[in-house]
Amino acid sequence: MNPQGHTLFATAIGACGLAWGARGVVGVQLPQADEARTRERLARRFPMAARTEPPPPHIAHIVAAMTQLLTGEAVDLTGVVLDEEGLPAFDRAAWAVARGVPPGETITYGQIAGRLGDPHAARAVGRAMGANPFPIIVPCHRVLGADGRMGGFSAAGGIEAKARLLSIERARIDAAPLLFEDLPITVKSPLERRRPGP
């Protein structure tokens, strides 16, 4: 990975950060205790990435899509290009499966392991999700333990943050009815070409 720029942006869950390079997004930073700490953490993770405000248009489009997703819109982020150079092959494969899980749905660590051809690799899948440098874009919060157990979440706020993200997406994680579950969900792609206005 060769990070070039980073930006901070406001969302419904707090200030998030995004770092990118020539080959795509190199990392996402979820909110820390406050905006200053989020920026500090992002700069520490990607010291070679210059603060870029405003970000270039293709990054601004990703930021807008992530912001919409975090307000409860079922936005499809699978078209966002990630720079995964140098990252473990198993992790990349596990993240690819997780990226196929749409907003409002979940998958278990064991199911991902099964899809990767090794049903006994659930712990390795858990480690891959814990090492995910692209949270939200790679939706590790949608990956649960067996029987819908929340499992872990390495971002600030831990399991409570994971539960909040799932609640925003109106994901069913148990038999309890969901608030507003009768509202329709339309999946939108952030990479659709927008038609020019009148």
Side-chain angles (χ1 to χ4, degrees):
M1 290 190 285
N2 184 24
Q4 296 177 336
H6 76 261
T7 189
L8 218 63
F9 56 100
T11 76
I13 64 169
C16 291
L18 188 71
W20 66 89
R23 288 185 292 268
V25 171
V26 298
V28 173
Q29 180 60 55
L30 292 181
Q32 300 293 294
D34 55 43
E35 183 174 323
R37 291 185 189 180
T38 303
R39 187 175 297 284
E40 178 184 308
R41 172 97 170 117
L42 186 65
R44 194 165 59 246
R45 285 178 63 195
F46 305 104
M48 302 302 291
R51 181 175 173 180
T52 309
E53 308 285 358
H58 71 288
I59 298 299
H61 194 48
I62 296 169
V63 164
M66 291 178 66
T67 303
Q68 290 174 331
L69 180 72
L70 292 170
T71 63
E73 291 190 44
V75 178
D76 179 8
L77 298 176
T78 57
V80 175
V81 177
L82 304 176
D83 180 357
E84 298 176 306
E85 183 182 7
L87 299 175
F90 180 89
D91 292 6
R92 296 197 311 266
W95 298 334
V97 175
R99 290 191 83 185
V101 180
E105 296 185 21
T106 59
I107 191 170
T108 68
Y109 299 105
Q111 287 172 323
I112 291 180
R115 291 186 189 182
L116 295 177
D118 185 354
H120 302 293
R123 286 180 184 263
V125 170
R127 285 191 295 272
M129 295 304 140
N132 172 22
F134 315 104
I136 308 300
I137 297 174
V138 173
C140 53
H141 62 281
R142 296 178 194 152
V143 185
L144 305 176
D147 302 321
R149 290 193 312 269
M150 196 64 67
F153 195 55
S154 59
I159 291 175
E160 288 183 9
K162 183 172 186 173
R164 184 176 181 196
L165 290 170
L166 291 171
S167 177
I168 288 170
E169 295 180 354
R170 299 193 301 274
R172 183 179 296 282
I173 57 174
D174 57 27
L178 296 176
L179 187 63
F180 310 125
E181 72 177 333
D182 57 335
L183 297 178
I185 294 178
T186 303
V187 176
K188 300 177 182 179
S189 170
L191 302 178
E192 290 177 337
R193 292 189 178 275
R194 297 181 180 175
R195 295 179 182 174

